[in-house]
Amino acid sequence: MLFNIVRTNTAVSTTADLISITAGAVRSFLIEEYDFTGDGTASAANEIGIYRVATAGVTGSGLVVPLQVESSVTATAFSGVVTTVWATQPTVAAAPVQVAGVNANGGSKFWRCNPNKNNAIVVPGGANAAASISIRAVLGTSNISARLQINEF
């Protein structure tokens, strides 16, 4: 099932997640595409990292409901959780899985996996830190908008 996860015009941080996605207990997902767009009024460099989570965050809130993309199938809710605020942020792996450069003044970065999905970002089920992805800045603090398309299976 395809879902879009959207967060708009939000300041990024190197120490706080823009978006955290945790897979459900028994369902995995793929990140199949993303786009990040700068929402600032002046030029500034930003790099957005997609990280694996080493240690889960504590007390997540600011929940985002993923939007189902396919209208021709029965409506199904995403089995995981999408969070934007933490009392204690997740600890991320030392190196991101992917990095996207975005200029704050309207720059954008779009990425889509190959048709055979051999380079999609796989997140296994488990409802724990190992089943989580963290989206946060590697560099920069500008406002950006983000959209990720995930395929839960």
Side-chain angles (χ1 to χ4, degrees), residues 15-18 20 55-58 84-91 134 136:
T15 58
D17 288 356
L18 176 67
S20 304
T55 305
V58 177
T84 61
V85 178
W86 292 97
T88 302
Q89 290 290 321
T91 303
S134 168
R136 64 174 63 173

Side-chain angles (χ1 to χ4, degrees), residues 8 24 28 40 50 58 67 73 82 89 91 100 110-111 136-137 150-151:
T8 59
S28 302
I50 299 175
V58 177
L67 305 170
V73 297
V82 181
Q89 290 290 321
T91 303
F110 175 79
W111 172 86
R136 64 174 63 173
I150 63 171
N151 189 349

Side-chain angles (χ1 to χ4, degrees), residues 117-148:
K117 302 181 194 256
N118 68 336
N119 66 334
I121 301 168
V122 180
V123 182
N128 56 26
S132 300
I133 286 287
S134 168
I135 314 296
R136 64 174 63 173
V138 176
L139 168 76
T141 58
S142 301
N143 281 29
I144 68 158
S145 291
R147 182 192 64 87
L148 290 90

